[in-house]
Amino acid sequence: MRRTLPIFLAATLTATSAFAVDGTVIPISDAKRGQSVTVAGEVSRILDEDTFRLSDASGNIRVYIGPNRLPVRTGDAVTVSGFVDNDLGPREIYADSLIDADGTEVVFDRRYE
């Protein structure tokens, strides 16, 4: 059993990181902790200078882009790629990149890791 667990974990990590690599957009409700994801929706609320809430038909999630400033406004349609934190608090995506409605991509400096 002990040898099976590392193989299973390696396979799981490889599978979950494929979300951000291939850009497959998933519903926000399917974004699981510890997973790289790409989600799309509308900016429903600005929470702070580097955090906003993204909503789609399935739910909503906090998106953290710090220490960068927000390139979005409430009502903007965006696609976000990043990593869903595995903390005990509310789910939050640490964004790697964001694509706005006109196709402009913003890549974020991830000094918060």
Side-chain angles (χ1 to χ4, degrees):
M1 179 68 176
R2 288 195 178 271
R3 290 186 178 189
T4 308
L5 184 59
I7 293 169
F8 171 76
L9 288 176
T12 302
L13 290 173
T14 302
T16 56
S17 63
F19 282 102
V21 172
D22 72 9
T24 302
V25 176
I26 65 169
I28 290 172
S29 63
D30 290 350
K32 305 297 183 221
R33 294 181 187 278
Q35 188 178 65
S36 291
V37 298
T38 300
V39 295
E42 181 179 299
V43 176
S44 57
R45 185 173 181 195
I46 303 299
L47 301 171
D48 198 346
E49 65 187 26
D50 58 8
T51 309
F52 64 92
R53 184 159 305 281
L54 185 69
S55 300
D56 70 6
S58 71
N60 63 72
I61 193 165
R62 291 171 54 110
V63 177
Y64 176 70
I65 63 158
N68 307 281
R69 293 238 179 234
L70 291 177
V72 297
R73 294 183 200 151
T74 302
D76 287 354
V78 298
T79 300
V80 174
S81 292
F83 182 79
V84 182
D85 73 4
N86 52 9
D87 293 339
L88 296 176
R91 286 180 315 145
E92 182 173 42
I93 295 175
Y94 294 153
D96 293 323
S97 65
L98 177 146
I99 300 173
D100 65 20
D102 70 4
T104 302
E105 181 174 20
V106 179
V107 177
F108 300 111
D109 179 14
R110 293 187 65 178
R111 287 181 278 165
Y112 50 81
E113 286 188 335

